[in-house]
Each structure stands twice: as C-alpha cells, then as structure tokens.
Amino acid sequence: MKTGTVSPIGRHELKVSQVLNESGELVGELPGIADDRLADMFRLMCLGRRLDQKAIALQRRGKLGTYPPLSGQEAASVGSAFAMNLDIDYFVPQYREQLAMFHWGLPLSTYLLNRMGHPAGADLPANGRLWPQQVALAAHLPHAVGQAWGLQLQGKPGVVLTQFGDGASNEGDFHEALNIAGVHNVPVVFVCQNNGWAISIPWEKQSAATSVAQRAAGYGFPGVTVDGNDVFAVYAAVAQARARAERGEGPTLIEARCTRMGAHSTADDPTRYVPADYVAEAERRDPIKRFRIWLASRGLWDDDREQLCIQWCDEQIEEAVRAFDATPRPDPETIFDHVVAHPDLRLRRQRDEFRKMQEKL
Ligand SMILES: Cc1ncc(C[n+]2csc(CCOP(=O)(O)OP(=O)(O)O)c2C)c(N)n1
C-alpha cells in the first residue's frame, strides 16, 4: 500500500494508505483477489447502494422502522468482510453493517424483518459465526473480544472481525475491549469506519486525538489508517491483520476513513449540520465509482455486466421484499417475549398494562 490521499477529520489532516485513488487508478499494490471474487465484491457494494434507496422508501411508507443507510461506506464494510474466512471466522456488527452481515449468510428478508421489529428478524445463520446487530454504541466490542479470547482458550481456529463508527470509539466499552484484547493478545480485528461524524457531532468535538488508529499504541498493538473509500486498501489492511491474528500475534485496530453520502438514519436530517463541502467530497470519493472505473480498465466490467448487476440487485431486493410482505405481522405484545428468560414482576406488570391498553384500542 502507498501513503496516498490526505484525509481531513476535525482539526487534523492525515495521510492515509491507498491502493486505488479517487480516479480509479492503481497507486499501490493490488491484493491478490480472483476476478470472480472482485465481481462479487462489486455486486455486494451495488446491492447496498440500491437497498438504501428501497429501504428508505419502505420506511417512508411506514413498513420499516428506522433504517441506517450505508451509501459511501460500502468499501469499508465489504472490503473488510471479504478479507475474512467465512468457514472459520466470526463477525460482530454494530447497526450499519448490513452488507457484511449478508456476506456472513444473513438473508436480506430476515434483515428487513429485523428493521421492522419482527421477532423472525432475529434469526441468525445456524453456524453461530454471525452475531446480532448491536445498537448500543460499542457494547458489542467486549463481546467480540470475549469471542476471540474464547477461541484462543479453546485452541480453536478463527479470527473475529468487528466493525463500528468513530462515535463508538469514544465510548468506555471501546477502551475496555481494546485493553483486554491487548492484554490477552486475542485474535480480533477492529475496523472503525470513521466518517467524521457521530450523528451531528464532528470528530473534533468527540476527541482531541489525531486519529482513532493511534490509540492502538496505548493498548500495545498496531493501528493503521486507510482510505475507507478504497475497497483494496481496506481489504489489504484487514487481510494483513487477519494473518497476524492467525499467527497468534494478536489484535489490530484499523481506521477506515470513509465518507457517508446520506443521512445517519431515516430519523435524521444531515442538511442541518453536515457542510456542503463534505457532501461534495463524499461524491468525489465515491467507492463504487472508482471501483467500477478500475474494473472497466481491466476489461472486467462493461455496460452489459452493469445491466446484469443492476438486474441481480433488484431481483434480490424484490424477492426479499416479497418474503417480508408475506410474513404475517407479529402481535405487538411479542415485544415482551424475547427480552429475558424469566420476566420479573415489573416486566410482567408492564405486559399486563400494555395488553389492557391494546384491548381499549
Ligand atoms: C451507548 C449509546 N449512546 C448513544 C446512542 C445514540 N446514538 C446512536 S447512533 C449515535 C452516533 C454514532 O456514531 P458513530 O459511532 O460514528 O457511528 P455511525 O452511526 O456514524 O456509523 C449515537 C450517539 C447509542 N445508540 N448508544
């Protein structure tokens, strides 16, 4: 990898590693990825972009609850997922990692059910290597470390990947998780998707640090910053971190500096706080555009393949929406069903009150 583009976050400008620049030109060493996997990576990134449009429309029609779009962050999510080994590795997501979750085998329809609060949306692939989405910021990071430590103690193969945002990196759980990961040298790869904003709070109001990656030094393991809009830079950094973990050399913190193109969520209006030049920069750094240019320059992409790709994405989405629509809506009372194994008195009372309120409606 080359130290390429300059990424401004907060007060600080930082050079970040890059393989594919904003114009789709190779500026670093290409990681060894077979052509068919390159096409799979690209298709998954396109699926994310198109799913955002559809899911936002479904939310506006009242069919989904809040939806977290990831347009602009496809390279960070997909690049890190593809660098892992699905047969033995684990993924512990925050709430914006739908693409990596699909890569780990989560059906698109299950994801949609989850976003409308259906209990069936909590069904995860049976092999147990995909964890549920975590909404409490950074609360999944101790889980990821615990899983990795467990693998180590049991002498089992596999590495744990976890993703989160810059806001999460300023939570106590982040620091506790990284500390224990370093102390026990566990096989975990932390990928922070730093888009410079925790909803409306810019990085400089979250932290005085120059970067997220530099914090790894305080926990005794390496931290690297890459261009998070460059799928190859992310892939290469994660593949290297995975190999380290597999050799027993412990954790790595990767900061993928990305730009989000849309809102934080469907409950949010970024025009109230994100400056216009950030939006223009996000367009210029679009990870899909640059990947497409590079694929075409290698003869791996053309208009016909593009059409087939769009068709494939739309078929996946339509099929998932059909399955989602055909699933009977749950009784609202099921909200109490999967909270705790043995509900205490307070919860049982809440349930009774909720039932009475429903009967009156
Ligand atoms: C512990 C906790 N505190 C506050 C929130 C409310 N909250 C939801 S998203 C968010 C900002 C997160 O920003 P970041 O970690 O950068 O991730 P991004 O949403 O940008 O991907 C906040 C404060 C929460 N979910 N959990």
Side-chain angles (χ1 to χ4, degrees), residues 131-205:
W131 284 56
Q133 294 174 59
Q134 175 60 268
V135 176
L137 292 178
H140 61 313
L141 302 180
H143 300 164
V145 172
Q147 168 91 72
W149 193 4
L151 292 173
Q152 185 194 58
L153 290 171
Q154 293 167 48
K156 286 191 178 159
V159 174
V160 180
L161 170 71
T162 185
Q163 297 175 341
F164 51 97
D166 46 290
S169 80
N170 295 309
E171 291 283 340
D173 276 351
F174 166 88
H175 298 279
E176 292 176 17
L178 269 74
N179 189 51
I180 288 295
V183 167
H184 295 287
N185 217 34
V186 305
V188 59
V189 181
F190 299 101
V191 175
C192 176
Q193 302 186 24
N194 184 354
N195 74 326
W197 296 89
I199 312 189
S200 56
I201 308 295
W203 176 257
E204 68 268 25
K205 289 195 179 152

